[in-house]
Every structure is written in C-alpha cells, then in structure tokens.
Amino acid sequence: MNLIIGPMRVRLQDAAETVMSTAKLFSPMQVGKLNLVNRIVIAPMCQYSAEDGCMTDWHLIHLGHLALSGAALLTIEATAVTPEGRITYADVGLYSDACEAAMRRTVESIRRWSQMPIAIQLSHAGRKASKDLPWKGGAQIAPDHANGWRTVAPSAVPFQAGESAPMALDRDGLARIRKAFVEAARRAVRLGLAAIQLHGAHGYLLHQFLSPLSNQRDDEYGGSLENRMRFPLEVMDAVRSAVPPDCPVTMRVSGTDWAQGGWDIEQTVAFAKALDARGCTAVHVSSGGLTPAGQIPVGPSYQVPLARAVKAATKMPVIAVGLITGYEQAEAIIGTGDADLIALARAILYDPRWPWHAAAFFGARVKAPDRYLRSQPHQFRNLFDMPSED
Ligand SMILES: Cc1cc2nc3c(=O)[nH]c(=O)nc-3n(C[C@H](O)[C@H](O)[C@H](O)COP(=O)(O)O)c2cc1C
C-alpha cells in the first residue's frame, strides 16, 4: 500500500522501517574514552589454547568470529600477569615479549576486519592456578607434576580439601605481583587495547584477598574490610597510574561468595565505592567462585540484583552478567537502569550473531562486515545500515 505525503510516495512498510528503534540495548554509550555502539559486551572467556602463554591460531578464530558479532566490546580472556598466575598451563599470558608478540598478531589481524574495540582482562589465579584443562576434569595439578606448579595466595588455605596448600605471599611476593599487573597493563597499552579489566572476581587472587574465607592474614592485608581491600586497591592504583589517564581501567567483582561468613554484597558495595573514588572507569558485577561451598541460586538474571545494588551506590557505569540470554531480558536490564551494559558469555558462544538477532528483533541496527551484507534478511531491510566495517 502506498501513501502520498506531499510530493513523496512512501510505501507503508518503508515508513515503518524508517522509525528508529527505541531499544535502550542499542543506544550508544561513552565509557571513558571508549565509544560503545550499543550496550552489549562480550565477557572474557578462557580458551585454554595458548602455548607458554602465547595466543595461537585458535584465538584468532575465536576472537575473530566474535569481533564480527555486532557487540560493542570484545574482552580478551583472563590473561595471566605471571606464569604461575595462569589457571592452567594453556592460559594466555602477557608476561613476556613472546606473549606480547603473539597477542599483537591476533589483535592486528582482527583489527584489519573489524572496528570492534578490544579490551583485555588481566588476572592472577592465586590458589586456583595449576589446574588441568576443564575438559580433562579441571583438577589441581600437583607442583611436582608436569604442567603443575606451587600456587600462591593471601594465606596457605587451599581452595578445597585434598589440594596442595598455596604459599602465603610475603611483602616481596605482593610487590612482585603488583609490578606484574603494571607491566602487563603497559603491554596492553602498547598493543593499543581499548580497556583494561582487572579480574577481582571468581575466587582468583584479588578476590582471595577480599574474602575472609580465603584471607586469614594478620598483617595490614587481612582482618578488617579495609585491610582485605588493600591489595586489590593497590593493584588498581598502580595500574591506573601506569597507563594513560584516558585508558579505561575497570574491575570485575564477585558480588557475593554465596557462602556463610564470606564476601557479600555489602562489602562489594564498599569496595565499589572505593574503586569509584580512585578513578576506576566501570565495574563488572559477577559472583561466586571463591569456595566450592557456595550455594548459587542459578537462574535467568540471577546476578542482576547484585549489579543493581552496586549501581545504586556508585557513579561509574555498571555491567551486569550471568544467564542473560533473551533479547527482552537484556533490554529490561538496561531499560530499568539496573545496569548500563550487559555482558554475554555462553549465549554468544552458542549464537555468535546474538546482537544481529537482537537488533532485528527490536528494529535496531548493527554493523556487519561488507562481505556479509548480502545476508541481510528481506524483512529487516535496514538492519545493516551502519557505517562500513573496513
Ligand atoms: C568458556 C568460558 C570461559 C570463561 N572464562 C572467563 C574468564 O576468562 N574470565 C572471567 O572473568 N570469566 C570467565 N567466564 C565467565 C563468564 O565471563 C561469565 O561471567 C559467565 O559465564 C556467566 O555469564 P553467561 O551466563 O552469559 O555465560 C567464562 C565462562 C565461560 C563459559
């Protein structure tokens, strides 16, 4: 059916298609100097496919295809700042020139074909290091076995019974790890990465300092909340001041251990306020991972209330994550203001075109590579109507 509007003859369908989507999920956002085209972040996902900390072709395939997904930001997996900070012997690291060169090859190849900004998560696994690959059971590998090493932690408390206890870090050990975070951050800046996320979640080293279940120190790094926050905040300060002021530095936190006597949302809010006051650019709110005793109420959006609590108490942008799989579910999280951004992990591995499909659902637009423009379905005529990729 045609309509006559002044001198223009417009098909009704075209008129409907020219109406811009009102989906908040597809509204742009600025985070520090980072321009995000929508609110969809690809969460960091370990691939256990590196050799001596160096990315391999798998990383180019994996990150490369996610970089064509139409999300706003791609986050490189937990990247160890020291060799003993790797979860497994096949984790990516950024602790040597060889690691940096391998990452440069991957990142530069992706950049030739995608404008999606690439962030990196810097991590130290602490007592959760020296593990086998998840698909081989993920058990701890003893220090005297091939591919195993002695782990370090705030206190000599193993993650679970039957594991070798980690070595409690002394002052020199703390200084060494702080410096390793700084050096890895400098390498990330040299690689032109768009943002640095510090891994303070999932029971890894920084979280081990925060939680009273893993931190039983009696010096100024243990005991009170202020003392338990000290080392993670020192790492934030050290990284923040080592990189250019406009480089976003964010923190991923576990909002709770889901365990009696552990880290909880009140402490997370206090930590988030301290991060906000120190120039942390954004906070990504996950949960769990500190203890196998955690009782996690897994279900759709189960971590969103934690993000909401942090959002209510701070000014910095908040990212929600965890079983966000539906388009309207994601839209509701952004639309209600529970969080500023949503992150996807399993859903985008399962459906790497999730952002395209969400955009089609809402009548919004995504970037697609020129080579794929012909795939635009007939009924979504303006879906790919974004500036060209290359
Ligand atoms: C394969 C895989 C690898 C992961 N690796 C990391 C990682 O490197 N760093 C991290 O903080 N979380 C990691 N996670 C957790 C996710 O980032 C995410 O927080 C979690 O899967 C919940 O989100 P989802 O329900 O969208 O999967 C990983 C998850 C998966 C499925």
Side-chain angles (χ1 to χ4, degrees), residues 108-160:
E108 286 183 354
S109 299
I110 295 170
R111 285 207 189 106
R112 272 200 286 280
W113 303 104
S114 166
Q115 295 168 359
M116 191 183 294
I118 307 174
I120 188 168
Q121 184 184 55
L122 296 181
S123 181
H124 191 298
R127 68 179 187 173
K128 285 178 76 177
S130 188
K131 300 274 173 159
D132 208 343
L133 308 180
W135 51 86
K136 291 187 174 171
Q140 189 189 53
I141 302 180
D144 52 345
H145 281 63
N147 294 327
W149 58 87
R150 183 85 192 269
T151 60
V152 296
S155 306
V157 183
F159 174 68
Q160 56 191 345

Short mmCIF file of all heavy atoms in Angstrom, two decimals, residues 108-160:
data_model
loop_
_atom_site.label_atom_id
_atom_site.label_comp_id
_atom_site.label_asym_id
_atom_site.label_seq_id
_atom_site.Cartn_x
_atom_site.Cartn_y
_atom_site.Cartn_z
N GLU A 108 46.09 -7.51 15.69
CA GLU A 108 46.22 -6.76 14.43
C GLU A 108 45.44 -7.43 13.31
O GLU A 108 44.85 -6.75 12.46
CB GLU A 108 47.70 -6.58 14.07
CG GLU A 108 48.33 -5.53 14.98
CD GLU A 108 49.78 -5.21 14.66
OE1 GLU A 108 50.36 -5.88 13.78
OE2 GLU A 108 50.31 -4.29 15.30
N SER A 109 45.41 -8.75 13.29
CA SER A 109 44.63 -9.45 12.26
C SER A 109 43.15 -9.12 12.43
O SER A 109 42.45 -8.84 11.44
CB SER A 109 44.81 -10.96 12.36
OG SER A 109 46.15 -11.29 12.18
N ILE A 110 42.66 -9.14 13.67
CA ILE A 110 41.24 -8.85 13.89
C ILE A 110 40.92 -7.42 13.47
O ILE A 110 39.92 -7.14 12.83
CB ILE A 110 40.86 -9.10 15.37
CG1 ILE A 110 41.01 -10.58 15.71
CG2 ILE A 110 39.43 -8.63 15.66
CD1 ILE A 110 40.91 -10.90 17.18
N ARG A 111 41.83 -6.52 13.83
CA ARG A 111 41.57 -5.10 13.53
C ARG A 111 41.48 -4.82 12.04
O ARG A 111 40.86 -3.84 11.62
CB ARG A 111 42.68 -4.24 14.14
CG ARG A 111 42.55 -4.11 15.62
CD ARG A 111 43.19 -2.81 16.07
NE ARG A 111 43.23 -2.79 17.51
CZ ARG A 111 44.34 -2.97 18.22
NH1 ARG A 111 45.50 -3.15 17.61
NH2 ARG A 111 44.29 -2.93 19.52
N ARG A 112 42.14 -5.66 11.25
CA ARG A 112 42.04 -5.43 9.80
C ARG A 112 40.61 -5.62 9.30
O ARG A 112 40.23 -5.12 8.27
CB ARG A 112 42.97 -6.39 9.06
CG ARG A 112 44.38 -5.83 8.89
CD ARG A 112 45.15 -6.51 7.78
NE ARG A 112 45.58 -7.84 8.15
CZ ARG A 112 46.66 -8.08 8.90
NH1 ARG A 112 47.40 -7.09 9.35
NH2 ARG A 112 46.99 -9.31 9.20
N TRP A 113 39.81 -6.39 10.05
CA TRP A 113 38.49 -6.77 9.54
C TRP A 113 37.34 -6.33 10.42
O TRP A 113 36.18 -6.55 10.08
CB TRP A 113 38.43 -8.30 9.36
CG TRP A 113 39.54 -8.75 8.46
CD1 TRP A 113 40.70 -9.37 8.82
CD2 TRP A 113 39.62 -8.55 7.04
NE1 TRP A 113 41.49 -9.58 7.72
CE2 TRP A 113 40.85 -9.09 6.61
CE3 TRP A 113 38.77 -7.97 6.09
CZ2 TRP A 113 41.26 -9.07 5.28
CZ3 TRP A 113 39.19 -7.96 4.75
CH2 TRP A 113 40.41 -8.50 4.37
N SER A 114 37.62 -5.75 11.57
CA SER A 114 36.55 -5.36 12.50
C SER A 114 36.96 -4.10 13.25
O SER A 114 38.12 -3.96 13.66
CB SER A 114 36.29 -6.48 13.50
OG SER A 114 35.51 -5.99 14.57
N GLN A 115 35.99 -3.20 13.42
CA GLN A 115 36.26 -1.98 14.20
C GLN A 115 35.89 -2.15 15.67
O GLN A 115 35.96 -1.21 16.44
CB GLN A 115 35.45 -0.81 13.65
CG GLN A 115 35.83 -0.42 12.24
CD GLN A 115 34.82 0.53 11.61
OE1 GLN A 115 33.81 0.88 12.21
NE2 GLN A 115 35.10 0.93 10.38
N MET A 116 35.46 -3.35 16.05
CA MET A 116 35.02 -3.53 17.44
C MET A 116 36.19 -3.30 18.40
O MET A 116 37.25 -3.89 18.24
CB MET A 116 34.48 -4.96 17.64
CG MET A 116 33.77 -5.13 18.97
SD MET A 116 33.22 -6.84 19.20
CE MET A 116 32.00 -7.00 17.94
N PRO A 117 36.02 -2.41 19.39
CA PRO A 117 37.11 -2.22 20.35
C PRO A 117 37.39 -3.50 21.14
O PRO A 117 36.46 -4.27 21.42
CB PRO A 117 36.61 -1.10 21.27
CG PRO A 117 35.20 -0.83 20.91
CD PRO A 117 34.85 -1.58 19.66
N ILE A 118 38.66 -3.72 21.45
CA ILE A 118 39.05 -4.95 22.14
C ILE A 118 39.65 -4.59 23.50
O ILE A 118 40.62 -3.83 23.58
CB ILE A 118 40.09 -5.74 21.32
CG1 ILE A 118 39.57 -5.98 19.89
CG2 ILE A 118 40.42 -7.07 22.01
CD1 ILE A 118 40.60 -6.63 18.96
N ALA A 119 39.06 -5.14 24.55
CA ALA A 119 39.56 -4.95 25.92
C ALA A 119 40.27 -6.22 26.36
O ALA A 119 40.16 -7.25 25.69
CB ALA A 119 38.39 -4.65 26.86
N ILE A 120 40.95 -6.16 27.47
CA ILE A 120 41.62 -7.36 27.99
C ILE A 120 41.36 -7.48 29.48
O ILE A 120 41.28 -6.47 30.19
CB ILE A 120 43.15 -7.30 27.72
CG1 ILE A 120 43.81 -8.63 28.08
CG2 ILE A 120 43.82 -6.14 28.45
CD1 ILE A 120 45.23 -8.76 27.58
N GLN A 121 41.21 -8.71 29.95
CA GLN A 121 41.10 -8.94 31.38
C GLN A 121 42.46 -9.44 31.89
O GLN A 121 42.95 -10.47 31.42
CB GLN A 121 40.03 -10.00 31.67
CG GLN A 121 39.81 -10.21 33.16
CD GLN A 121 38.83 -11.33 33.45
OE1 GLN A 121 39.00 -12.45 32.98
NE2 GLN A 121 37.80 -11.04 34.22
N LEU A 122 43.04 -8.71 32.84
CA LEU A 122 44.31 -9.12 33.43
C LEU A 122 44.04 -9.82 34.74
O LEU A 122 43.23 -9.36 35.56
CB LEU A 122 45.21 -7.90 33.65
CG LEU A 122 45.65 -7.17 32.38
CD1 LEU A 122 46.56 -6.00 32.73
CD2 LEU A 122 46.36 -8.11 31.39
N SER A 123 44.76 -10.92 34.94
CA SER A 123 44.39 -11.79 36.07
C SER A 123 45.58 -12.48 36.70
O SER A 123 46.63 -12.66 36.08
CB SER A 123 43.41 -12.85 35.54
OG SER A 123 42.99 -13.70 36.56
N HIS A 124 45.40 -12.87 37.94
CA HIS A 124 46.30 -13.82 38.62
C HIS A 124 45.39 -14.80 39.34
O HIS A 124 44.51 -14.39 40.09
CB HIS A 124 47.21 -13.08 39.60
CG HIS A 124 48.31 -13.95 40.11
ND1 HIS A 124 48.07 -15.09 40.85
CD2 HIS A 124 49.67 -13.86 40.00
CE1 HIS A 124 49.22 -15.66 41.16
NE2 HIS A 124 50.21 -14.94 40.65
N ALA A 125 45.60 -16.09 39.10
CA ALA A 125 44.67 -17.09 39.62
C ALA A 125 44.92 -17.45 41.09
O ALA A 125 44.09 -18.12 41.71
CB ALA A 125 44.71 -18.34 38.76
N GLY A 126 46.08 -17.05 41.65
CA GLY A 126 46.34 -17.35 43.07
C GLY A 126 46.23 -18.84 43.34
O GLY A 126 46.80 -19.66 42.62
N ARG A 127 45.44 -19.19 44.38
CA ARG A 127 45.35 -20.61 44.78
C ARG A 127 44.55 -21.45 43.78
O ARG A 127 44.52 -22.67 43.91
CB ARG A 127 44.74 -20.72 46.18
CG ARG A 127 43.27 -20.32 46.25
CD ARG A 127 42.72 -20.47 47.66
NE ARG A 127 41.29 -20.25 47.70
CZ ARG A 127 40.53 -20.45 48.77
NH1 ARG A 127 41.08 -20.84 49.90
NH2 ARG A 127 39.24 -20.24 48.72
N LYS A 128 43.87 -20.82 42.83
CA LYS A 128 43.11 -21.57 41.82
C LYS A 128 43.92 -21.78 40.54
O LYS A 128 43.36 -22.07 39.49
CB LYS A 128 41.79 -20.87 41.51
CG LYS A 128 40.75 -21.06 42.62
CD LYS A 128 39.46 -20.32 42.34
CE LYS A 128 38.60 -21.00 41.30
NZ LYS A 128 37.31 -20.30 41.08
N ALA A 129 45.26 -21.63 40.65
CA ALA A 129 46.13 -21.87 39.49
C ALA A 129 46.54 -23.34 39.46
O ALA A 129 46.12 -24.14 40.30
CB ALA A 129 47.35 -20.97 39.59
N SER A 130 47.37 -23.67 38.44
CA SER A 130 47.92 -25.03 38.31
C SER A 130 46.83 -26.09 38.20
O SER A 130 46.89 -27.12 38.87
CB SER A 130 48.86 -25.32 39.49
OG SER A 130 49.55 -26.55 39.28
N LYS A 131 45.84 -25.82 37.36
CA LYS A 131 44.73 -26.77 37.16
C LYS A 131 44.90 -27.46 35.81
O LYS A 131 45.56 -26.94 34.91
CB LYS A 131 43.40 -26.02 37.14
CG LYS A 131 43.08 -25.24 38.39
CD LYS A 131 42.40 -26.09 39.42
CE LYS A 131 42.26 -25.32 40.70
NZ LYS A 131 41.30 -25.73 41.61
N ASP A 132 44.21 -28.57 35.68
CA ASP A 132 44.16 -29.24 34.38
C ASP A 132 43.08 -28.55 33.52
O ASP A 132 42.26 -27.76 34.04
CB ASP A 132 43.84 -30.73 34.57
CG ASP A 132 44.43 -31.56 33.43
OD1 ASP A 132 44.76 -30.98 32.38
OD2 ASP A 132 44.53 -32.79 33.59
N LEU A 133 43.05 -28.88 32.25
CA LEU A 133 42.07 -28.28 31.35
C LEU A 133 40.67 -28.70 31.78
O LEU A 133 40.48 -29.84 32.23
CB LEU A 133 42.33 -28.73 29.91
CG LEU A 133 43.77 -28.53 29.41
CD1 LEU A 133 43.91 -29.00 27.98
CD2 LEU A 133 44.18 -27.06 29.54
N PRO A 134 39.67 -27.81 31.63
CA PRO A 134 38.32 -28.16 32.11
C PRO A 134 37.80 -29.44 31.48
O PRO A 134 37.16 -30.24 32.15
CB PRO A 134 37.46 -26.96 31.69
CG PRO A 134 38.39 -25.87 31.36
CD PRO A 134 39.74 -26.45 31.08
N TRP A 135 38.08 -29.64 30.18
CA TRP A 135 37.53 -30.84 29.53
C TRP A 135 38.33 -32.09 29.89
O TRP A 135 38.00 -33.18 29.46
CB TRP A 135 37.43 -30.65 28.01
CG TRP A 135 38.67 -30.18 27.33
CD1 TRP A 135 39.69 -30.96 26.88
CD2 TRP A 135 39.02 -28.83 27.00
NE1 TRP A 135 40.66 -30.17 26.29
CE2 TRP A 135 40.26 -28.86 26.35
CE3 TRP A 135 38.40 -27.58 27.19
CZ2 TRP A 135 40.92 -27.71 25.90
CZ3 TRP A 135 39.05 -26.45 26.74
CH2 TRP A 135 40.28 -26.51 26.10
N LYS A 136 39.39 -31.91 30.73
CA LYS A 136 40.09 -33.09 31.28
C LYS A 136 39.81 -33.20 32.77
O LYS A 136 40.57 -33.82 33.52
CB LYS A 136 41.58 -32.98 31.02
CG LYS A 136 41.94 -33.12 29.55
CD LYS A 136 43.43 -33.17 29.35
CE LYS A 136 43.76 -33.46 27.90
NZ LYS A 136 45.20 -33.30 27.62
N GLY A 137 38.77 -32.52 33.24
CA GLY A 137 38.35 -32.64 34.63
C GLY A 137 38.68 -31.42 35.48
O GLY A 137 38.08 -31.21 36.52
N GLY A 138 39.69 -30.65 35.09
CA GLY A 138 40.00 -29.40 35.78
C GLY A 138 40.58 -29.54 37.18
O GLY A 138 40.61 -28.59 37.95
N ALA A 139 41.08 -30.75 37.51
CA ALA A 139 41.63 -30.94 38.88
C ALA A 139 42.95 -30.20 39.02
O ALA A 139 43.63 -29.90 38.03
CB ALA A 139 41.83 -32.43 39.13
N GLN A 140 43.33 -29.95 40.27
CA GLN A 140 44.63 -29.31 40.51
C GLN A 140 45.74 -30.26 40.07
O GLN A 140 45.65 -31.48 40.29
CB GLN A 140 44.80 -29.01 42.00
CG GLN A 140 46.03 -28.14 42.27
CD GLN A 140 46.34 -28.02 43.75
OE1 GLN A 140 46.46 -29.02 44.47
NE2 GLN A 140 46.47 -26.80 44.22
N ILE A 141 46.77 -29.70 39.44
CA ILE A 141 47.95 -30.49 39.08
C ILE A 141 49.00 -30.20 40.16
O ILE A 141 49.32 -29.04 40.42
CB ILE A 141 48.48 -30.12 37.68
CG1 ILE A 141 47.37 -30.34 36.63
CG2 ILE A 141 49.72 -30.94 37.33
CD1 ILE A 141 47.78 -30.00 35.19
N ALA A 142 49.51 -31.26 40.78
CA ALA A 142 50.44 -31.09 41.91
C ALA A 142 51.73 -30.43 41.41
O ALA A 142 52.11 -30.59 40.25
CB ALA A 142 50.73 -32.44 42.54
N PRO A 143 52.41 -29.68 42.32
CA PRO A 143 53.58 -28.92 41.90
C PRO A 143 54.69 -29.79 41.30
O PRO A 143 55.44 -29.32 40.46
CB PRO A 143 54.08 -28.27 43.20
CG PRO A 143 52.99 -28.43 44.20
CD PRO A 143 52.05 -29.48 43.72
N ASP A 144 54.78 -31.06 41.72
CA ASP A 144 55.87 -31.89 41.21
C ASP A 144 55.50 -32.65 39.94
O ASP A 144 56.24 -33.52 39.49
CB ASP A 144 56.34 -32.86 42.31
CG ASP A 144 55.19 -33.65 42.90
OD1 ASP A 144 54.01 -33.25 42.66
OD2 ASP A 144 55.43 -34.67 43.57
N HIS A 145 54.36 -32.35 39.34
CA HIS A 145 53.97 -32.99 38.08
C HIS A 145 54.21 -32.04 36.91
O HIS A 145 54.21 -30.82 37.09
CB HIS A 145 52.48 -33.37 38.11
CG HIS A 145 52.21 -34.61 38.86
ND1 HIS A 145 52.47 -34.72 40.20
CD2 HIS A 145 51.72 -35.81 38.47
CE1 HIS A 145 52.14 -35.94 40.62
NE2 HIS A 145 51.69 -36.62 39.58
N ALA A 146 54.36 -32.64 35.73
CA ALA A 146 54.50 -31.81 34.52
C ALA A 146 53.26 -30.93 34.43
O ALA A 146 52.15 -31.37 34.77
CB ALA A 146 54.59 -32.72 33.30
N ASN A 147 53.41 -29.71 33.99
CA ASN A 147 52.30 -28.76 33.84
C ASN A 147 51.72 -28.28 35.18
O ASN A 147 50.66 -27.65 35.19
CB ASN A 147 51.16 -29.32 32.99
CG ASN A 147 51.57 -29.54 31.55
OD1 ASN A 147 52.39 -28.79 31.03
ND2 ASN A 147 51.03 -30.57 30.92
N GLY A 148 52.40 -28.59 36.30
CA GLY A 148 51.91 -28.09 37.59
C GLY A 148 52.96 -27.19 38.23
O GLY A 148 54.12 -27.20 37.84
N TRP A 149 52.54 -26.40 39.21
CA TRP A 149 53.48 -25.55 39.95
C TRP A 149 52.88 -25.21 41.30
O TRP A 149 51.69 -25.44 41.55
CB TRP A 149 53.81 -24.28 39.15
CG TRP A 149 52.61 -23.43 38.80
CD1 TRP A 149 52.03 -22.44 39.54
CD2 TRP A 149 51.82 -23.51 37.59
NE1 TRP A 149 50.95 -21.91 38.89
CE2 TRP A 149 50.79 -22.54 37.68
CE3 TRP A 149 51.89 -24.31 36.44
CZ2 TRP A 149 49.85 -22.34 36.67
CZ3 TRP A 149 50.94 -24.11 35.43
CH2 TRP A 149 49.94 -23.14 35.56
N ARG A 150 53.72 -24.69 42.19
CA ARG A 150 53.28 -24.29 43.53
C ARG A 150 52.50 -22.98 43.40
O ARG A 150 52.99 -22.01 42.83
CB ARG A 150 54.53 -24.09 44.41
CG ARG A 150 54.23 -23.75 45.84
CD ARG A 150 53.99 -25.01 46.66
NE ARG A 150 53.42 -24.71 47.96
CZ ARG A 150 54.13 -24.49 49.05
NH1 ARG A 150 55.45 -24.52 49.00
NH2 ARG A 150 53.55 -24.25 50.22
N THR A 151 51.30 -22.98 43.96
CA THR A 151 50.47 -21.77 43.84
C THR A 151 50.76 -20.81 45.00
O THR A 151 51.35 -21.21 46.02
CB THR A 151 48.98 -22.14 43.85
OG1 THR A 151 48.67 -22.80 45.08
CG2 THR A 151 48.62 -23.05 42.68
N VAL A 152 50.32 -19.57 44.84
CA VAL A 152 50.47 -18.55 45.90
C VAL A 152 49.10 -17.95 46.20
O VAL A 152 48.20 -18.00 45.35
CB VAL A 152 51.45 -17.44 45.49
CG1 VAL A 152 52.87 -17.98 45.31
CG2 VAL A 152 50.98 -16.72 44.22
N ALA A 153 48.95 -17.41 47.38
CA ALA A 153 47.64 -16.86 47.81
C ALA A 153 47.87 -15.95 49.01
O ALA A 153 48.97 -15.89 49.55
CB ALA A 153 46.71 -18.01 48.18
N PRO A 154 46.81 -15.25 49.46
CA PRO A 154 46.96 -14.42 50.67
C PRO A 154 47.35 -15.29 51.87
O PRO A 154 48.16 -14.88 52.71
CB PRO A 154 45.57 -13.82 50.88
CG PRO A 154 44.83 -14.01 49.61
CD PRO A 154 45.47 -15.13 48.85
N SER A 155 46.75 -16.48 51.96
CA SER A 155 47.01 -17.36 53.11
C SER A 155 47.17 -18.79 52.59
O SER A 155 46.70 -19.12 51.49
CB SER A 155 45.83 -17.34 54.09
OG SER A 155 45.54 -16.00 54.47
N ALA A 156 47.77 -19.63 53.41
CA ALA A 156 48.04 -21.02 52.99
C ALA A 156 46.80 -21.89 53.15
O ALA A 156 46.81 -22.93 53.83
CB ALA A 156 49.21 -21.57 53.78
N VAL A 157 45.72 -21.46 52.54
CA VAL A 157 44.43 -22.17 52.65
C VAL A 157 44.06 -22.67 51.24
O VAL A 157 43.84 -21.86 50.34
CB VAL A 157 43.31 -21.22 53.15
CG1 VAL A 157 42.01 -21.96 53.32
CG2 VAL A 157 43.73 -20.52 54.43
N PRO A 158 43.99 -23.98 51.05
CA PRO A 158 43.65 -24.47 49.70
C PRO A 158 42.19 -24.17 49.35
O PRO A 158 41.36 -23.96 50.23
CB PRO A 158 43.90 -25.98 49.77
CG PRO A 158 43.85 -26.32 51.21
CD PRO A 158 44.19 -25.08 52.01
N PHE A 159 41.90 -24.19 48.05
CA PHE A 159 40.53 -23.95 47.57
C PHE A 159 39.61 -25.05 48.08
O PHE A 159 38.49 -24.79 48.51
CB PHE A 159 40.53 -23.91 46.03
CG PHE A 159 39.17 -23.82 45.40
CD1 PHE A 159 38.40 -22.68 45.52
CD2 PHE A 159 38.65 -24.90 44.68
CE1 PHE A 159 37.13 -22.59 44.92
CE2 PHE A 159 37.40 -24.82 44.08
CZ PHE A 159 36.63 -23.68 44.21
N GLN A 160 40.08 -26.30 48.02
CA GLN A 160 39.26 -27.39 48.57
C GLN A 160 40.15 -28.46 49.16
O GLN A 160 41.34 -28.55 48.85
CB GLN A 160 38.33 -27.96 47.51
CG GLN A 160 38.99 -28.44 46.26
CD GLN A 160 37.97 -28.75 45.16
OE1 GLN A 160 36.78 -28.85 45.41
NE2 GLN A 160 38.46 -28.89 43.94
#
